[in-house]
């Protein structure tokens, strides 16, 4: 077993870190307070290749493996999870749904633009009353001649107000998961409205929106995959999405480790550095262990994808562990910083607020446990 | 509590209410009469708003007065004054200082803040660098330095201050304790924005601020010992109050659980029960500590109460956010406000979650409290202290 990174992977990681340390880290507190990153960073990120990773070159992407993708998500999470969210929703959730389930025309139309981030995508699954229970969503798509007409509402949609295309999951058939289909809906279609949700605890730099679809008309060719396969598309995409969340959380843990070590070695109390106290080293050791364990789980998942093996449960484990680790690490880093951790200028405060949602979205920790438990026992405990 | 004390107190309350009907008496006048009747804080001595009775009886007096519609002294506006300054002034002040400061403090006419922590002296409080230099001709002290984490500094009239009066002796021995006027020239207060978005705390810059020697509390060089009276009182005042079952954070979480049956899971149920039991144990332990307090000043035991309070507040508020699912990730207000009072369980779940992070830092970090418990309660060997016998001026900084 060889856990070392190859030259390309190391080079990409170094490039990503250098770029983000220059372009994102100095601005993240101000973006967080303003409730928006400076969107001028999006084309610059595309130039580095963040949006094109794992999208094949023939569709305008960079190609590349999922280990590199995981490294990119880690670097984004370390710098600013709001940026990580913009990339993993647009190129991950939307781009990969199109790549794996789209028609050739759909791929040609959307993938190059998503890979270059000249267009952004959003993923319209969650609804006001449908979170973890996505199979029961209520947005409807009604066939009308050669078109579909979509009515409904979506909630907590990342990139919602910035996106050019929305991947909307809507009911075309009977109740339950098999009645759902997926549609690529241009956000400038008449009847489509996105309203930004202000006042979030974390991920304040990304636009989170409520989507209202009122008689939105799309041609039948906007359907992604077969009719009735929408739920499957959503779930298989979310498996890979979990790798992105897990890797982003590895970045949060790594960032917490770096800031805790820096503070503990530079601040003196009682005549010695904070790092000279056993209780402080205890917290730093916990963060370090969390960083290694979370990263190895994420890499294992990425490696399974790269080798074409089943990775769903590995993704659940990585997402569950890394997201819980991110919350733990942020708490530990904050405590190591003492009063400075409680001030809105130092890194732990933002890591903590950004980490909070990670255990909840793209499948809560409880959902991941049920997926893992079902795999271990062969018995589903979903109700 | 003895029945004799209880009925005696009830008679005094009745007499106060008869002589000063809350319905027709102004607030200030009623509070002054209450002070004079010894019903302000019954555990204080007679003549200083009290009757020299056990501390626990106060709750009974408060209840009777509240039931009669009497105004209170708005204790939430002067938490530092009532919880920290007053016990310290009582324990270490001269009769003249008692006379001058305690009454307006209790009445809420003078608000207090605490000038202890500094940028370079947080957990290592004895390392404070703010200097107080005696100016013999005027019989005053001249204070220079910077303090931080000062709640209510922008509202305060007075501050309890720990400052260095002798840099040539080891750090604990060179400190003195002062009662500093916050309206004096040379006091500058700047808000400090915190994790929650608001600025509950301040930075305070002291430039040639003058304090009369008559406002020195205790002897020169006794500052550390006196500061410990204050800090022990603080740790009791954070998390040490008498509360009914399911008050505070556990009540918020229990309410969230009851309000949304559709969000219940077995895992959350188990965590809630586990934390509920711990919160109840902590509540009862707090009550026992308060009974011990009734017969003396707070000792190091309050550190355990505060340590557990902080841990439970953080775990409970995290569970509440999870129980509320997406709603728990909303945040009500990010504007930079300067709240007049702090309510750990106020506002919404997101605020409670963030505010609780401060609980394990303010008033002694959880790490410092563990040291105190280990050394002063359990009598375990002390943390090695490299700086104990070195003159403060020779310490690395």
């Amino acid at each position: 077993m060889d856990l070392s990174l190859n030259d390309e992977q190391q080079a990409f990681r170094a490039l990503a870190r250098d770029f983000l340390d220059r372009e994102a880290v100095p601005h993240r507190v101000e973006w967080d307070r303003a409730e928006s990153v400076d969107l001028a960073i999006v084309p610059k990120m595309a130039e580095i290749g963040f949006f094109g990773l794992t999208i094949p070159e023939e569709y305008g992407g960079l190609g590349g493996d999922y280990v590199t993708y995981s490294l990119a998500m880690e670097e984004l999470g370390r710098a600013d999870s709001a940026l990580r969210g913009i990339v993993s929703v647009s190129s991950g959730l939307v781009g990969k749904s199109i790549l794996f389930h789209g028609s050739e025309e759909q791929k040609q139309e959307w993938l190059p633009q998503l890979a270059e981030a000249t267009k952004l995508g959003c993923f319209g699954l969650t609804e006001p009353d449908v979170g973890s229970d996505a199979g029961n969503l209520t947005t409807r798509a009604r066939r009308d001649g050669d078109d579909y007409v979509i009515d409904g509402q979506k909630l907590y949609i990342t990139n919602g107000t910035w996106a050019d295309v929305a991947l909307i999951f809507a009911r075309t058939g009977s109740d339950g998961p098999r009645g759902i289909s997926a549609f690529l809906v241009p956000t400038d279609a008449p009847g489509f409205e996105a309203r930004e949700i202000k006042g979030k605890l974390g991920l304040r730099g990304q636009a989170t929106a409520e989507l209202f679809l009122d008689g939105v008309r799309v041609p039948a060719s906007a359907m992604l995959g077969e009719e009735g396969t929408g739920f499957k598309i959503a779930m298989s995409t979310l498996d890979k999405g979990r790798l992105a969340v897990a890797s982003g959380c590895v970045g949060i843990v790594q960032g917490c480790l770096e800031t805790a070590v820096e503070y503990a070695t530079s601040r003196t109390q009682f005549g010695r550095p904070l790092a000279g106290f056993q209780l402080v080293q205890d917290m730093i050791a916990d963060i370090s262990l969390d960083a290694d364990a979370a990263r190895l789980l994420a890499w294992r998942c990425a490696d399974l994808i790269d080798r074409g093996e089943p990775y769903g449960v590995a993704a659940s484990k990585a997402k569950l562990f890394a997201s819980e680790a991110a919350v733990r690490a942020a708490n530990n880093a904050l405590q190591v910083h003492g009063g400075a951790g409680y001030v809105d200028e130092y890194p732990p405060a933002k890591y903590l607020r950004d980490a909070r949602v990670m255990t909840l979205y793209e499948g809560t920790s409880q959902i991941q446990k049920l997926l893992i438990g079902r795999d271990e026992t062969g018995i589903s405990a979903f109700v | 509590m003895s029945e004799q004390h209880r009925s005696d107190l009830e008679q005094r309350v009745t007499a106060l209410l008869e002589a000063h009907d809350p319905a027709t008496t102004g607030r200030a006048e009623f509070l002054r009469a209450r002070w004079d009747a010894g019903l302000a804080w019954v555990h204080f001595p007679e003549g200083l708003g009290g009757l020299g009775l056990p501390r626990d009886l106060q709750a009974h007096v408060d209840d009777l007065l509240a039931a009669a519609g009497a105004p209170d002294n708005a204790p939430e506006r002067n938490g530092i004054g009532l919880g920290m300054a007053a016990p310290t002034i009582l324990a270490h002040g001269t009769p003249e200082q008692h006379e001058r400061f305690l009454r307006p403090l209790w009445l809420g006419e003078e608000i207090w803040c605490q000038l202890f922590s500094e940028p370079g002296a947080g957990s290592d409080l004895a390392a404070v660098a703010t200097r107080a230099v005696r100016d013999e001709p005027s019989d005053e002290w001249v204070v220079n330095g910077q303090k931080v984490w000062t709640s209510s500094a922008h509202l305060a009239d007075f501050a309890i201050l720990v400052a260095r009066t002798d840099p040539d002796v080891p750090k604990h021995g060179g400190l003195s304790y002062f009662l500093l006027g916050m309206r004096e020239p040379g006091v500058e207060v700047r808000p400090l924005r915190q994790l929650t978005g608001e600025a509950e705390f301040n930075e305070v810059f002291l430039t040639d601020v003058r304090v009369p020697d008559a406002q020195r509390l205790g002897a020169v060089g006794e500052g550390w010992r006196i500061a410990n009276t204050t800090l022990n009182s603080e740790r009791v005042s954070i998390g040490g109050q008498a509360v009914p079952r399911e008050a505070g954070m556990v009540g918020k979480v229990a309410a969230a659980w009851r309000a949304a049956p559709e969000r219940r899971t077995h895992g959350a149920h188990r965590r809630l029960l586990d934390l509920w039991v711990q919160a109840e144990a902590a509540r009862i332990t707090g009550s026992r500590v308060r009974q011990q307090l009734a017969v003396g000043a707070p000792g190091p035991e309050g550190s355990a109460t505060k340590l557990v309070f902080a841990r439970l507040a953080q775990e409970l508020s995290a569970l509440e956010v999870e129980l509320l699912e997406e709603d728990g990730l909303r945040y009500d207000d990010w504007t930079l406000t300067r709240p007049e009072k702090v309510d750990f369980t106020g506002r919404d779940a997101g605020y409670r979650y963030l505010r609780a992070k401060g609980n394990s830092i303010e008033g002694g970090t959880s790490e410092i409290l563990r040291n105190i418990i280990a050394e002063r309660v359990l009598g375990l060997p002390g943390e090695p202290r490299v700086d104990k016998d070195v003159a403060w001026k020779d310490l690395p900084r």
Side-chain angles (χ1 to χ4, degrees), chain A residues 23 25 32 85 168 179 184 188 232 252 282 297 338:
Chain A
E23 300 283 340
V25 171
D32 187 68
I168 296 292
L184 288 164
D188 57 4
K232 260 193 187 157
I252 293 177
D282 178 74
L297 284 169

Side-chain angles (χ1 to χ4, degrees), chain A residues 109-144:
Chain A
E109 182 183 0
W110 293 109
L111 288 179
Q113 305 190 77
L114 291 173
E116 286 160 20
T118 49
K119 299 247 158 118
L120 287 177
C122 68
F123 189 75
L125 179 64
T126 301
E127 297 183 355
D129 296 314
V130 183
S132 291
D133 182 21
N136 285 321
L137 60 81
T138 61
T139 294
R140 282 222 149 260
R142 176 173 51 83
R143 184 87 196 215
D144 182 32

Side-chain angles (χ1 to χ4, degrees), chain A residues 199 204 267 269-270 335 342, chain B residues 119-120 124 195 331 334 357 360:
Chain A
R204 291 164 48 75
R267 172 150 174 107
Q269 289 280 273
F270 303 101
Q335 188 70 16
Y342 194 67
Chain B
D124 187 8
L195 172 58
Y331 200 78
W334 278 110
K357 302 302 173 190
S360 57

Side-chain angles (χ1 to χ4, degrees), chain A residues 32-33 35 126-128 130-132 155-156 197-202 204 210 263 267-272 274 276-280 283 324 327 331 334-345 348-350 352-353 355-361 364-366 369, chain B residues 118-125 127 149 171 192-198 200-201 265 267-268 270-271 314 318-319 321-322 325-332 334 350-351 353-361 365-368 370-371 383-387 395-397:
Chain A
D32 187 68
R33 287 184 183 170
E35 293 194 68
T126 301
E127 297 183 355
V130 183
S132 291
L155 191 59
Y156 301 114
I197 300 170
K198 293 277 187 182
K200 285 179 296 179
L201 186 70
R204 291 164 48 75
E210 216 170 341
Y263 194 80
R267 172 150 174 107
T268 300
Q269 289 280 273
F270 303 101
R272 47 185 160 141
L274 289 186
F277 293 91
Q278 293 182 355
L279 289 178
V280 173
M283 293 187 275
E324 298 282 347
V327 174
N331 278 322
L334 197 151
Q335 188 70 16
V336 168
H337 280 69
Y342 194 67
V343 179
D344 194 35
E345 298 281 345
K350 182 173 180 307
L352 177 94
R353 291 189 285 97
R356 184 61 271 177
V357 72
M358 303 293 168
T359 63
L360 295 167
Y361 72 176
T364 63
S365 290
Q366 290 71 35
K369 284 189 175 172
Chain B
E118 296 180 4
S123 289
D124 187 8
L125 180 61
W149 303 117
K171 61 180 183 179
L192 189 63
R193 187 176 175 134
Q194 68 206 50
L195 172 58
T196 56
E198 60 191 341
E200 183 190 309
F201 303 102
T265 64
R270 195 183 56 194
R271 279 171 66 198
Q314 291 174 356
L319 177 59
V321 166
E322 287 177 47
E325 296 179 358
E326 290 85 352
D327 294 342
L329 298 169
R330 305 296 280 263
Y331 200 78
D332 59 349
W334 278 110
Y351 173 80
Y353 176 69
L354 295 184
R355 185 62 189 79
K357 302 302 173 190
N359 292 157
S360 57
I361 296 165
T365 66
S366 291
E367 289 67 38
I368 289 293
R370 286 187 172 92
N371 269 353
E383 177 87 14
R385 289 190 169 82
V386 294
D387 55 357
L395 290 176
R397 274 193 296 281

Side-chain angles (χ1 to χ4, degrees), chain B residues 61-300:
Chain B
V61 173
D62 293 346
D63 289 347
L64 291 172
L65 288 172
D72 68 14
N73 62 337
E76 72 284 353
R77 287 188 60 240
N78 203 10
I80 305 276
L82 293 162
M84 297 163 70
T88 313
I89 293 170
L90 179 68
H92 300 283
T94 61
E96 292 73 26
Q97 288 168 336
H98 292 164
E99 278 303 317
R100 163 64 187 84
F101 290 109
L102 291 174
R103 191 167 182 269
L105 184 159
W106 185 85
L107 290 170
E109 293 168 357
E110 287 173 354
I111 302 298
W112 287 70
C113 67
Q114 177 197 23
L115 298 176
F116 280 24
S117 297
E118 296 180 4
S123 289
D124 187 8
L125 180 61
V128 295
T130 292
R131 286 295 313 274
V133 177
R134 187 131 188 192
D135 177 39
E136 294 287 351
S138 65
D139 209 21
E140 288 177 333
W141 295 80
V142 181
V143 183
N144 281 285
Q146 185 192 343
K147 296 288 182 177
V148 74
W149 303 117
T150 315
S151 319
S152 307
H154 55 300
L155 306 168
D157 303 288
F158 281 93
I160 43 177
L161 166 76
V162 176
R164 188 155 305 281
T165 45
D166 186 355
D168 297 323
V169 298
K171 61 180 183 179
H172 293 92
L175 300 171
S176 301
Y177 200 114
F178 298 93
L179 310 176
L180 176 125
M182 288 294 287
R183 314 281 186 197
E184 296 298 323
V187 178
E188 190 198 339
V189 177
R190 295 183 202 158
L192 189 63
R193 187 176 175 134
Q194 68 206 50
L195 172 58
T196 56
E198 60 191 341
E200 183 190 309
F201 303 102
N202 299 279
E203 296 179 288
V204 178
F205 297 83
L206 303 167
T207 310
D208 292 332
V209 183
R210 301 186 84 86
V211 190
D213 189 54
Q215 286 173 215
R216 171 171 47 79
L217 197 70
V220 173
E222 281 287 284
W224 179 249
R225 192 173 63 87
I226 300 171
N228 270 294
T229 305
T230 311
L231 295 175
N232 286 333
S233 301
E234 177 178 26
R235 283 165 202 152
V236 177
S237 74
I238 301 179
Q241 297 85 354
V243 286
R245 179 177 282 183
E246 268 196 24
M249 208 70 92
V250 70
K252 298 286 179 189
V253 184
W257 171 266
R258 292 186 184 114
E262 73 281 5
R263 287 173 175 170
R264 293 176 189 171
T265 64
H266 291 292
H269 194 197
R270 195 183 56 194
R271 279 171 66 198
L272 175 65
L273 289 177
D274 183 29
L275 290 169
W276 193 96
V277 170
Q278 293 184 49
E280 184 62 5
R283 186 180 76 86
I284 294 165
T285 303
S287 174
R288 188 163 56 84
V289 169
R290 264 188 319 283
Q291 283 168 17
Q292 292 165 351
L293 283 183
V295 290

